[in-house]
Amino acid sequence: MESQSRENVVECFIVVRLIVDRRFFIGASAACSCFMCASNSFSQEVAESMPSCAIMTADDQLASDKIAESEWGGNAPQNDDMGFEASYSLRKRWNPDRREIRVAFLTNPPIADHVFRAAQGWEPYMKLKFKRVNVRDGADIYARFAPGQGHYSYIGTDCRWGYANDGHTMSFGWEGSVSTTDLRRVTLHEFGHALGLVHEHHVPGSDISWNKPAVYDYYEKKYGWSKEKIDRNILNQYTRNEVRGTAYDAASIMHYPVPREHVIDPEDVVGWNSNLSQGDKILIGKMWS
């Protein structure tokens, strides 16, 4: 692995773990990061070459919940056989009868065309299409380009809240030139959030053997994160009352990288995934069947 070029590493795609338990749709918003090769030698040094990011929540959760309910009645609090019991477990799902999500770019650099085409990589696997529109015509997703400020997106219907309060719902932070692999990886990941998907390493059943002292040390020193922020972004799992989905999928485009130094069991290492996994395709198809 050490002898390979960075580009060859980026193009590598090895499944480490698969079937445990995967879920989606939560009552929170997220900012995120995107992925590379998976192997049990994937190192912290390689992970550090890519940007990391933090979960964001709507400042007014009640308002974001009302938006979710207005989009689709199924987002309302409910007590069903999957365990949705209280208001904190409101989902952020776009109406499953939708067949179109409107996308506007707040600025229009040449890279916007490439981003939109990369986002369409989700379309063959669902009965939903992205439609590019002008900002003045109104959209569901408003994307900006802000070099150096990281990549992130609100989750599902929180995009509507995000635009009303932050002026954008998705942000791309590339600086300088961007490889085709990096652009695809980041775009698919961010649009996955906008479609309603959460980070894969948080889902019930992921059971990653975190080396917590190493994780706390790394994120505190590199990003200045507090213990609470590290717990929220890296270590905590959602409960089965908060999310739904298929099986946990270490190959998912929605998975954070997990370097060797951050886990006890080397089989839990996950690299930067660059393509939609089979699990991603199945899950998005179930969401819009």
Side-chain angles (χ1 to χ4, degrees), residues 8 14 37 49 78 83 100 106 115 125 131 185 208-209 248:
N8 286 339
I14 304 173
C37 165
S49 69
Q78 52 188 289
E100 180 179 277
L106 296 173
V115 166
Y125 311 104
K131 181 179 180 180
R185 172 178 70 235
I208 296 170
S209 60
Y248 167 69

Side-chain angles (χ1 to χ4, degrees), residues 1 6 9-10 33-39 41-53 151 182 185 210 214-215 218-219 222-223 234 255-263 269-273:
M1 176 70 71
R6 176 66 51 77
V9 174
V10 169
S33 178
C34 312
F35 317 110
M36 198 157 78
C37 165
S39 97
S41 65
F42 180 78
S43 70
Q44 184 170 302
E45 180 181 0
V46 176
E48 287 179 353
S49 69
M50 300 293 182
S52 202
C53 55
H151 313 304
D182 190 38
R185 172 178 70 235
W210 294 110
V215 172
Y218 171 73
Y219 282 97
K222 185 169 179 63
Y223 298 108
I234 308 298
H255 209 301
Y256 248 50
V258 181
R260 177 65 185 92
E261 294 86 346
H262 291 186
V263 293
V269 170
V270 178
W272 295 85
N273 300 330

Side-chain angles (χ1 to χ4, degrees), residues 115-155:
V115 166
F116 185 74
R117 285 196 292 270
Q120 290 177 304
W122 285 103
E123 292 185 350
Y125 311 104
M126 62 181 183
K127 293 183 179 178
L128 180 77
K129 304 298 180 185
F130 295 117
K131 181 179 180 180
R132 189 170 176 180
V133 298
N134 294 320
V135 173
R136 65 176 179 272
D137 296 328
D140 302 301
I141 297 170
Y142 292 85
R144 72 171 187 174
F145 297 91
Q149 297 189 35
H151 313 304
Y152 59 86
S153 172
Y154 283 96
I155 290 179

Side-chain angles (χ1 to χ4, degrees), residues 182-228:
D182 190 38
L183 186 141
R184 180 181 67 249
R185 172 178 70 235
V186 173
T187 300
L188 288 171
H189 183 91
E190 303 311 334
F191 273 83
H193 281 313
L195 288 170
L197 303 181
V198 300
H199 280 135
E200 193 72 7
H201 65 282
H202 285 306
V203 304
S206 58
D207 297 329
I208 296 170
S209 60
W210 294 110
N211 181 340
K212 291 185 178 182
V215 172
Y216 287 132
D217 182 69
Y218 171 73
Y219 282 97
E220 179 185 2
K221 289 181 177 177
K222 185 169 179 63
Y223 298 108
W225 287 4
S226 66
K227 180 179 183 296
E228 185 275 335

